[in-house]
Amino acid sequence: MNAIKISLYRGLSILLLAALFCGTVQGQGRTEYLLEKNWKFSKGDFPESVNPAFDDSKWETVRIPHDWAIRGPFDGNNDSQNVQIVQNGEQTASLKTGRTGGLPFVGKAWYRNTFVAPAFTKGKKAVILIDGAMSYPKVFLNGEAVGHWAYGYNSFSIDITDKMRVGKNVLAISLENLPEASRWYPGAGLYRNVHVIITDEVSIPVWGTYITTPVINKDFARVKIRTQVNSLSGNYNGLSLQTTIVNAKGETVATATKKLTTEDLNEFEQDLVVRNPELWSPETPNLYAAVTKLYAGNSLKDEYTTMFGIRSIKYEAEKGFSLNGVYRKFKGVCNHHDLGPLGAAINVSALRRQLVLLKDMGCDAIRTSHNMPAPELVKLCDEMGFMLMVESFDEWKAPKVSNGYSHLFDEWAEKDIVNMIHANRNNPSVVMWSIGNEVPDQSTKEGGKILKFLQDICHREDPTRPVTAGMDRIKDALDNNFAAVLDIPGFNYKPFWYGEAYKRLPQEMVLGSETASTVSSRGVYKFPVVPQKMKMYDDNQSSSYDLEYCNWSQIPDDEFMMQDSLKYVIGEFVWTGFDYLGEPTPYDEKWPSHSSYFGIIDLAGIPKDRFYLYRSKWNPDKPTLHIVPHWTFPGREGKVTPVFVYTNYPSAELFINNKSQGRQSKNKATSTSRYRLMWNNVKYEPGEIKVVAYDGNGKPVAEQTVKTAGKPHHIVLESDRKTLMADGKDLAYITASVVDANGTVCPDAENSLNFKVTGQGTYKAVANGDPTSLELFHLPKMKAFKGKLVITVQSTEQAGKLNLSVSAKGLKAAVLPIETR
């Protein structure tokens, strides 16, 4: 690790990431400061706060990343939107109340930070790098404007050398969220990290390296590295570059040195060879580090490390997608950027928890819908093994919302695409770019020209990856050749059009860029159990039998069937991996509903039943046997209560109170019978249901039981982490379950739980996964939803032990200790 102990922008290893987030990373000629502590914040418009002498003592002190709107309160009138909907050829207005989550994110706000960068002296260079700020950030340093951006999801950097002072500096950033600017909760504030980077007068700029691997075989890989260099004085004489490639063990596997010539145009190009390369894949996420040292004569001016992977990707007509020469289909999910009760404020622990859950499900790919991702997500996907479709926009020139990206497109689209690609093109997890989602321009005369404009930028900046877009107007996209222009035609919710698209498109391949949109509420079961489209109930919930969906969508089984049947379909990205704030379809006109129902995993991070349906299909190496529903239905005695089983075994037998209900085998009669075992005529009687699974030879290999719960008796706590880093940011997620005297979860328990953290930790947030709950995430109390909720605790910067206590009236309390190191 000593060889790569320097400041990084992209692809940090976990250890280096931890070092960076402590505040400062220093290397030869380069120091990076993470401005995370002691920010002053106030909602409202304070243009006078750019003055360094401005008194901000009464402002709130916050830590970045920060989402100022996540504390609520929820209100259906926050950003309510009149949306034009076309039905049966007629356009009508529809009032959407929870479309952006019912949180008060609209308005202006200011942040101020006073910092000292000791590494900055006369003749040095200073750059500020902002990973994302929602929205329209304007940046001031020491009272003067230094730069701005518009799109809240993108990373951008500003050269602040001329305004930087030796000693104390005052940074001020203004932000503004407009109403009707989003179709989901966008977050508010400096919700991603802010860096200040100090280098010598000659240095490598932000995102200054570009690594490709044009030749890969079992014996060697050719690694091509292009490295830009900047000089404040304009003098590039005598510069040379030494690059060393280091493997995960810290061993040097290749080196190269090159002198800069006039003909190089301030960019070094080096070719290195790595023998016996260890390839990157979701199953083996091997990473290398390219350690670059920039010299002027014998003087080391800069040292810069780029993490990368060696892997080959190929997209072929009829054959589909291959990684390292092995054909495979994407088992992907779409995710919005919010982290549930944490809002949009990025946190590495929260992201890692999401990825651990997705990995367990068998997911191997993520679409960053519908915007550029946080750098931390991309780095984790490199390290943990997820393929990424990095997406840019939800709008082009034709608007979906009145203050959306359409207003920015002409001025900002190319800048935003270039930054997106430069920030992410060295990451092996990134396997394709997406230039848009369901843009109405699919149906306009100039839509094809816009598509080509954006795709050409992607090809220019990164010729190694193809370009896709999520298309929902499939007839228009096929008829006007819009779909024919894309490298990878991506279709949203059109599995039964795949055959037609394949016949008509020159690419001879199709991607399910957004699939399913099945809706469900964890632990909620509705009767009768039948497929239903846009079904609504008085309680604003959806059934977890996984047969309810939207006007435009399908159940998971329909997509599974087409993925299995058609070789040229290269995979799917399910909408969505996690529930997210906003878009509470089908209840987006019926308050209170503030979060989506689409997730395979709920807003608290608890898997829904659908999780096990996907795992039974996507993760054959992990035995899955899951019973739907629970078996506590007082008042349903003698009524038909179907039982579904999600399993990767071919058959199973159901027993109710030890009486066999028969054996079911998967078959091709319907899409659901291919992937589920279903006993549709079972009548409810309290007691115990048991499922025995059989392998292909008819041998019993696994069993699962579900019991009828008694009265709520006590609380059980289970943490996803046993120890935390004492860095003031690490998180543990503790599931609190209300159980009966025998330890069976009470599936209808709604007890109000209270939380207290003592020792070396703090209470952070809580969520119960109920889309209709208006209880606030940051308060240390919440009702259980269907017997469960999840509490998030955070470490302090002192090692020791934290204790979480959870209590409720009438229940035996619980205490859980967690070590911090």
Side-chain angles (χ1 to χ4, degrees):
M1 292 297 294
N2 291 336
I4 50 175
K5 184 184 175 185
I6 66 166
S7 168
L8 308 178
Y9 301 145
R10 314 299 304 159
L12 292 167
S13 70
I14 293 175
L15 291 177
L16 285 171
L17 195 64
L20 171 61
F21 284 0
C22 289
T24 305
V25 173
Q26 190 163 357
Q28 290 288 341
R30 173 178 295 255
T31 305
E32 179 171 342
Y33 301 92
L34 190 66
L35 300 186
E36 55 180 352
K37 297 180 182 179
N38 300 317
W39 284 82
K40 289 293 188 175
F41 162 78
S42 183
K43 188 176 178 182
D45 192 13
F46 301 95
E48 64 277 15
S49 67
V50 303
N51 186 336
F54 177 80
D55 182 7
D56 59 16
S57 60
K58 294 183 179 179
W59 286 16
E60 183 182 359
T61 301
V62 299
R63 184 169 184 162
I64 301 302
H66 177 246
D67 182 345
W68 58 257
I70 191 59
R71 292 193 169 199
F74 295 102
D75 190 324
N77 294 316
N78 285 331
D79 198 36
S80 58
Q81 300 182 14
N82 279 300
V83 179
Q84 298 299 314
I85 296 177
V86 178
Q87 289 183 328
N88 300 320
E90 295 185 5
Q91 183 166 291
T92 59
S94 173
L95 181 64
K96 307 287 188 181
T97 55
R99 197 181 201 201
T100 51
L103 287 163
F105 69 91
V106 174
K108 296 182 178 181
W110 281 80
Y111 290 84
R112 284 170 49 90
N113 186 273
T114 300
F115 69 95
V116 175
F120 183 77
T121 58
K122 186 176 181 181
K124 296 279 190 175
K125 180 178 180 179
V127 171
I128 185 169
L129 172 63
I130 298 178
D131 293 337
M134 193 63 68
S135 304
Y136 296 94
K138 296 179 181 178
V139 184
F140 303 84
L141 184 66
N142 298 321
E144 298 189 58
V146 291
H148 69 284
W149 207 259
Y151 198 31
Y153 294 106
N154 216 346
S155 300
F156 64 98
S157 63
I158 302 169
D159 188 332
I160 57 173
T161 305
D162 291 344
K163 304 297 186 294
M164 188 79 171
R165 295 175 181 170
V166 175
K168 186 174 74 173
N169 291 271
V170 179
L171 178 66
I173 301 176
S174 72
L175 299 167
E176 181 177 14
N177 277 345
L178 300 175
E180 299 195 43
S182 180
R183 299 188 299 117
W184 56 87
Y185 177 64
L190 291 177
Y191 71 111
R192 294 180 182 170
N193 278 304
V194 177
H195 318 251
V196 171
I197 303 150
I198 309 299
T199 62
D200 281 338
E201 77 282 4
V202 178
S203 63
I204 301 162
V206 173
W207 311 321
T209 55
Y210 178 33
I211 300 179
T212 57
T213 52
V215 178
I216 301 172
N217 58 50
K218 65 182 181 64
D219 297 319
F220 70 90
R222 185 178 298 159
V223 180
K224 181 179 287 293
I225 305 179
R226 289 163 47 188
T227 307
Q228 296 176 9
V229 60
N230 286 338
S231 170
L232 289 177
S233 67
N235 181 13
Y236 292 88
N237 294 327
L239 297 183
S240 62
L241 197 74
Q242 180 190 84
T243 299
T244 303
I245 295 179
V246 180
N247 65 16
K249 298 176 183 178
E251 301 167 338
T252 296
V253 296
T255 60
T257 301
K258 188 178 190 303
K259 292 185 177 180
L260 190 70
T261 68
T262 304
E263 293 77 17
D264 290 324
L265 301 177
N266 305 336
E267 182 177 88
F268 292 93
E269 188 169 306
Q270 296 172 302
D271 288 295
L272 298 91
V273 172
V274 175
R275 301 288 175 184
N276 304 310
E278 297 178 280
L279 303 186
W280 185 94
S281 73
E283 295 73 30
T284 59
N286 298 307
L287 294 174
Y288 290 86
V291 184
T292 301
K293 295 182 179 181
L294 176 65
Y295 290 89
N298 295 321
S299 175
L300 179 60
K301 289 295 186 180
D302 199 1
E303 191 173 344
Y304 185 92
T305 291
T306 307
M307 302 297 291
F308 72 100
I310 298 174
R311 57 103 180 102
S312 64
I313 57 173
K314 189 179 291 186
Y315 299 79
E316 300 172 87
E318 296 190 352
K319 295 180 180 179
F321 167 71
S322 63
L323 176 68
N324 300 326
V326 179
Y327 290 96
R328 59 192 295 163
K329 297 196 179 210
F330 295 106
K331 298 179 290 188
V333 299
C334 305
N335 271 343
H336 270 310
H337 71 306
D338 77 66
L339 295 170
L342 302 184
I346 207 67
N347 180 280
V348 174
S349 296
L351 288 170
R352 186 181 292 112
R353 175 186 180 238
Q354 287 193 339
L355 296 181
V356 167
L357 287 166
L358 292 175
K359 182 72 78 168
D360 179 53
M361 188 175 70
C363 173
D364 65 9
I366 295 170
R367 175 189 182 210
T368 68
S369 45
H370 302 295
N371 43 259
M372 298 81 173
E376 291 81 2
L377 173 63
V378 184
K379 296 164 190 172
L380 284 172
C381 287
D382 284 347
E383 294 164 357
M384 297 177 67
F386 286 88
M387 297 177 286
L388 281 173
M389 177 203 300
V390 172
E391 192 158 82
S392 52
F393 308 127
D394 190 49
E395 277 186 14
W396 292 350
K397 289 192 176 184
K400 295 181 183 179
V401 289
S402 59
N403 286 313
Y405 194 81
S406 61
H407 295 282
L408 305 176
F409 188 91
D410 287 337
E411 179 182 355
W412 288 96
E414 181 166 5
K415 299 173 190 175
D416 279 322
I417 289 286
V418 168
N419 275 23
M420 176 185 80
I421 292 175
H422 286 193
N424 299 289
R425 63 185 178 181
N426 293 320
N427 298 86
S429 57
V430 180
V431 296
M432 70 178 89
W433 308 111
S434 172
I435 53 176
N437 170 67
E438 297 182 356
V439 294
D441 310 75
Q442 294 166 85
S443 304
T444 67
K445 289 183 179 180
E446 65 174 350
K449 293 180 181 179
I450 300 173
L451 187 159
K452 189 173 186 308
F453 163 70
L454 295 174
Q455 184 166 261
D456 285 349
I457 297 170
C458 295
H459 290 167
R460 181 190 74 204
E461 301 299 325
D462 175 35
T464 71
R465 294 177 179 88
V467 177
T468 189
M471 297 175 285
D472 61 331
R473 306 182 182 199
I474 190 165
K475 188 176 185 305
D476 289 350
L478 291 174
D479 288 347
N480 64 18
N481 290 322
F482 186 96
V485 177
L486 282 167
D487 296 332
I488 306 295
F491 292 110
N492 293 5
Y493 311 110
K494 300 296 183 290
F496 300 110
W497 275 78
Y498 288 163
E500 178 70 14
Y502 167 72
K503 287 189 293 185
R504 295 180 58 181
L505 289 174
Q507 299 96 327
E508 295 184 303
M509 74 178 80
V510 175
L511 171 66
S513 45
E514 190 171 314
T515 65
S517 269
T518 306
V519 292
S520 64
S521 304
R522 176 184 54 80
V524 174
Y525 303 96
K526 302 293 188 179
F527 305 95
V529 178
V530 292
Q532 301 202 72
K533 185 183 293 186
M534 296 297 286
K535 178 66 176 177
M536 289 186 277
Y537 303 92
D538 291 342
D539 62 359
N540 284 24
Q541 304 291 355
S542 295
S543 178
S544 199
Y545 274 104
D546 301 324
L547 291 173
E548 296 180 1
Y549 52 100
C550 304
N551 282 330
W552 60 85
S553 63
Q554 302 82 30
I555 58 174
D557 319 58
D558 290 341
E559 185 70 36
F560 288 164
M561 184 172 64
M562 303 308 288
Q563 293 285 335
D564 287 345
S565 302
L566 303 175
K567 185 177 180 180
Y568 55 81
V569 179
I570 65 174
E572 67 168 314
F573 290 83
V574 181
W575 191 265
T576 52
F578 286 79
D579 277 339
Y580 55 93
L581 294 164
E583 282 196 315
T585 308
Y587 297 105
D588 51 5
E589 298 177 37
K590 188 180 177 185
W591 186 258
S593 290
H594 65 69
S595 61
S596 74
Y597 299 76
F598 299 118
I600 297 170
I601 302 167
D602 74 12
L603 198 72
I606 303 174
K608 302 181 187 178
D609 291 305
R610 245 182 307 145
F611 176 93
Y612 301 96
L613 178 60
Y614 280 97
R615 192 170 79 172
S616 70
K617 178 73 169 63
W618 282 359
N619 194 350
D621 295 331
K622 186 153 193 173
T624 296
L625 187 60
H626 179 76
I627 297 172
V628 181
H630 61 68
W631 207 241
T632 306
F633 292 103
R636 282 199 66 80
E637 289 79 5
K639 295 182 180 179
V640 173
T641 306
V643 174
F644 292 177
V645 170
Y646 300 156
T647 181
N648 42 25
Y649 297 110
S651 64
E653 186 174 5
L654 173 67
F655 297 86
I656 299 182
N657 294 326
N658 295 318
K659 182 179 179 180
S660 176
Q661 305 298 306
R663 186 166 163 178
Q664 296 279 353
S665 298
K666 294 177 184 177
N667 61 78
K668 295 185 178 181
T670 65
S671 63
T672 49
S673 65
R674 286 182 179 222
Y675 306 104
R676 314 183 193 202
L677 300 176
M678 299 175 290
W679 289 261
N680 289 314
N681 298 312
V682 171
K683 292 184 179 179
Y684 174 70
E685 58 181 72
E688 178 185 279
I689 58 176
K690 181 174 71 173
V691 170
V692 177
Y694 300 90
D695 64 15
N697 297 318
K699 179 183 176 181
V701 288
E703 67 177 52
Q704 181 77 25
T705 60
V706 175
K707 296 179 180 180
T708 301
K711 293 181 179 180
H713 179 266
H714 63 280
I715 299 166
V716 173
L717 302 179
E718 183 179 4
S719 178
D720 72 327
R721 307 275 302 280
K722 294 182 179 179
T723 60
L724 295 179
M725 290 178 59
D727 62 357
K729 293 176 286 190
D730 206 5
L731 304 177
Y733 287 81
I734 297 96
T735 301
S737 301
V738 179
V739 303
D740 67 10
N742 296 317
T744 300
V745 174
C746 301
D748 289 325
E750 296 183 349
N751 305 70
S752 183
L753 308 185
N754 298 286
F755 328 118
K756 184 178 181 181
V757 178
T758 57
Q760 300 305 325
T762 58
Y763 165 76
K764 181 70 174 178
V766 64
N768 61 14
D770 179 3
T772 71
S773 172
L774 300 184
E775 293 184 273
L776 302 180
F777 300 131
H778 68 285
L779 298 181
K781 62 179 181 178
M782 185 171 281
K783 288 183 178 179
F785 178 62
K786 301 304 173 184
K788 295 186 177 186
L789 52 73
V790 176
I791 306 145
T792 308
V793 299
Q794 184 169 276
S795 67
T796 65
E797 294 184 359
Q798 298 296 319
K801 180 187 292 184
L802 69 84
N803 290 288
L804 170 67
S805 302
V806 182
S807 61
K809 184 177 180 180
L811 299 179
K812 184 179 178 181
V815 177
L816 180 74
I818 297 177
E819 295 288 337
T820 63
R821 299 174 182 172

